[in-house]
Amino acid sequence: VPCDKTGAILTPVYMSTTFVQESVDKYLEKGYSYSRTNNPTVKMLEEKVAKIENGYDSICVSTGMAATASCINAFMNTGDHCVITNCSYGGTNRICREQFMHLGMEFSFVDFTDPKNVEAAIKPNTKLIFSESPTNPTLTLADLDAISEIAQKHGILHVCDSTFATPYVCRPLDHGCDLTIQSLTKYYDGLNIGTGGALIAKTPELYERIKLVQNMHGNIMSPMTAYLMLQTMKTMGLRIRQQSASAMKIATFLESHPKVSKVVYPGLASHPQKELADRQHRDGLHGGMLWFDVKGDPIKLMDTIKRPWTLCENLGATESIITACAVMTHANMIREDRLKVGITDGFIRISVGIEDPDDLIRGLDDALNQL
């Protein structure tokens, strides 16, 4: 929206700690008093994120993990129980085990590929069902409509971390979820510039609760980061379409490579939940994430692969990123738990960027052939 005063096409960066009030009687008449509570630049991002996710409103915070922590802090207390996917982002698993369990909360880590498992895990004190779809890094899907129906039947809130999907692939609130988590660091930013997270609420009541928790914790985003993400998210739809098309091409190539024993991508006919992927994902898009199991030393593969591939721990960016999850992103998981959910020692996660897919395939082929 152009600036009312100047016509500037970009939202201004309001680098101001405080906002002057005309009088006591007119306190907060303009909506702002202190940037921990609200900032005009950040608020514009929160409104845009909520709109694209089809929610009522959102809070934008410092990282994706900050959004996850805000959700659990807002809706769970000592003695409460959460049914959570047994394969989630490693940081989500860690904070549940290392912080919230020590505060007296209970967590049941369940296989969400069958909604019956979710319902069977519900207890009288269950307050939250925590989905992730597609999961990081195994790319299993949760049937959000079915799980939301179970949550509603039992009067339990359902939150979904939809970072891998983005709203261009799936909008959880359209499938009955109450809240959506996004790591804005990933596809919303998409350029490896900043970190951020969002928690999107379906109703005014849920928004008021998460906004209160955000304000109490001081869990905020800087105006400069918000300004940059307001720009980068403009190209997210274009990027997702290119990344999805390239991911499908690369996944198809890997399925035929002799040094690869398994490839998982929701767009492949071989994906065990292909029917659900086609039903739940929008516009035939399945995102830019895939994984494969390598025959040989995964560390050698990481050390020999050349540009345009990049060895690092982010995902969703314009640069194509390759990661050996067992020793990088999910190294904090207990090995037994990691193997139980399918993250083998040879598990390689790929985040496909926007480079020419033929160049990416050539780089993979060269590195795989050296194993």
Side-chain angles (χ1 to χ4, degrees):
V1 179
C3 175
D4 290 338
K5 291 184 178 179
T6 66
I9 198 167
L10 301 184
T11 301
V13 186
Y14 289 92
M15 300 294 286
S16 184
T17 305
T18 191
F19 300 84
V20 176
Q21 308 298 310
E22 189 174 331
S23 68
V24 172
D25 287 341
K26 293 183 177 180
Y27 177 65
L28 277 178
E29 189 175 78
K30 296 178 181 178
Y32 303 96
S33 66
Y34 189 61
S35 276
R36 171 169 54 79
T37 303
N38 273 314
N39 175 279
T41 312
V42 178
K43 190 60 203 170
M44 179 60 72
L45 178 63
E46 290 172 335
E47 289 175 357
K48 287 197 172 185
V49 169
K51 190 171 185 65
I52 199 172
E53 296 280 355
N54 209 17
Y56 171 76
D57 209 337
S58 75
I59 58 169
C60 286
V61 294
S62 54
T63 66
M65 274 308 305
T68 295
S70 295
C71 181
I72 296 173
N73 280 314
F75 300 108
M76 288 187 65
N77 293 299
T78 298
D80 289 344
H81 173 251
C82 172
V83 182
I84 185 168
T85 175
N86 65 350
C87 186
S88 66
Y89 169 58
T92 302
N93 181 288
R94 177 170 53 186
I95 198 171
C96 292
R97 294 183 185 277
E98 297 297 327
Q99 180 175 340
F100 291 122
M101 279 186 173
H102 292 293
L103 297 176
M105 300 177 194
E106 299 176 51
F107 293 85
S108 294
F109 297 90
V110 171
D111 179 0
F112 269 52
T113 58
D114 186 348
K116 291 177 183 176
N117 296 334
V118 178
E119 186 158 31
I122 291 173
K123 301 179 179 182
N125 60 334
T126 304
K127 295 294 191 293
L128 188 67
I129 293 174
F130 195 119
S131 300
E132 188 175 303
S133 188
T135 55
N136 180 0
T138 58
L139 296 173
T140 58
L141 308 179
D143 187 333
L144 299 180
D145 288 298
I147 295 170
S148 293
E149 189 176 323
I150 290 166
Q152 290 161 16
K153 183 170 76 172
H154 292 272
I156 300 167
L157 291 175
H158 182 198
V159 60
C160 179
D161 183 335
S162 189
T163 297
F164 269 32
T166 79
Y168 286 94
V169 175
C170 180
R171 293 188 299 212
L173 301 185
D174 289 351
H175 296 276
C177 293
D178 301 290
L179 299 138
T180 299
I181 290 170
Q182 286 285 354
S183 175
L184 302 178
T185 310
K186 310 305 190 292
Y187 289 98
Y188 272 83
D189 177 289
L191 299 175
N192 284 314
I193 294 174
T195 63
L199 181 57
I200 304 101
K202 192 172 190 173
T203 66
E205 294 77 17
L206 293 173
Y207 170 71
E208 290 301 323
R209 176 59 186 166
I210 63 175
K211 185 63 184 173
L212 173 63
V213 168
Q214 179 196 35
N215 194 35
M216 291 190 296
H217 289 186
N219 190 357
I220 61 172
M221 176 182 281
S222 77
M224 192 67 217
T225 300
Y227 169 79
L228 292 169
M229 288 199 179
L230 281 165
Q231 313 321 315
T232 59
M233 70 179 287
K234 293 174 183 177
T235 61
M236 179 166 54
L238 295 172
R239 288 185 274 112
I240 290 294
R241 283 174 173 80
Q242 177 62 52
Q243 287 164 310
S244 295
S246 295
M248 185 65 186
K249 190 170 184 177
I250 292 166
T252 303
F253 156 76
L254 287 169
E255 274 199 315
S256 64
H257 200 286
K259 294 288 186 176
V260 174
S261 60
K262 184 176 184 179
V263 183
V264 173
Y265 178 66
L268 289 174
S270 59
H271 192 282
Q273 296 174 288
K274 184 64 165 64
E275 184 276 329
L276 176 60
D278 289 342
R279 174 161 45 91
Q280 192 161 274
H281 291 171
R282 304 174 65 203
D283 299 330
L285 299 174
H286 298 289
M289 301 302 300
L290 64 100
W291 69 268
F292 64 95
D293 212 334
V294 65
K295 296 178 184 176
D297 184 359
I299 294 175
K300 184 179 179 182
L301 178 66
M302 296 299 98
D303 291 344
T304 56
I305 197 159
K306 299 292 192 294
R307 299 285 288 168
W309 291 100
T310 303
L311 175 63
C312 58
E313 285 199 20
N314 195 24
L315 61 92
T318 51
E319 294 85 5
S320 290
I321 294 169
I322 189 164
T323 307
C325 291
V327 294
M328 295 175 70
T329 54
H330 289 67
N332 58 60
M333 281 184 77
I334 301 166
R335 186 172 186 270
E336 182 184 350
D337 290 347
R338 177 168 59 76
L339 293 173
K340 196 181 296 182
V341 296
I343 306 173
T344 61
D345 294 337
F347 190 111
I348 306 298
R349 187 185 74 182
I350 284 178
S351 172
V352 180
I354 62 169
E355 304 93 341
D356 188 310
D358 291 334
D359 288 341
L360 293 169
I361 288 171
R362 192 176 303 112
L364 275 172
D365 193 35
D366 288 346
L368 285 166
N369 289 336
Q370 293 180 50
L371 295 180

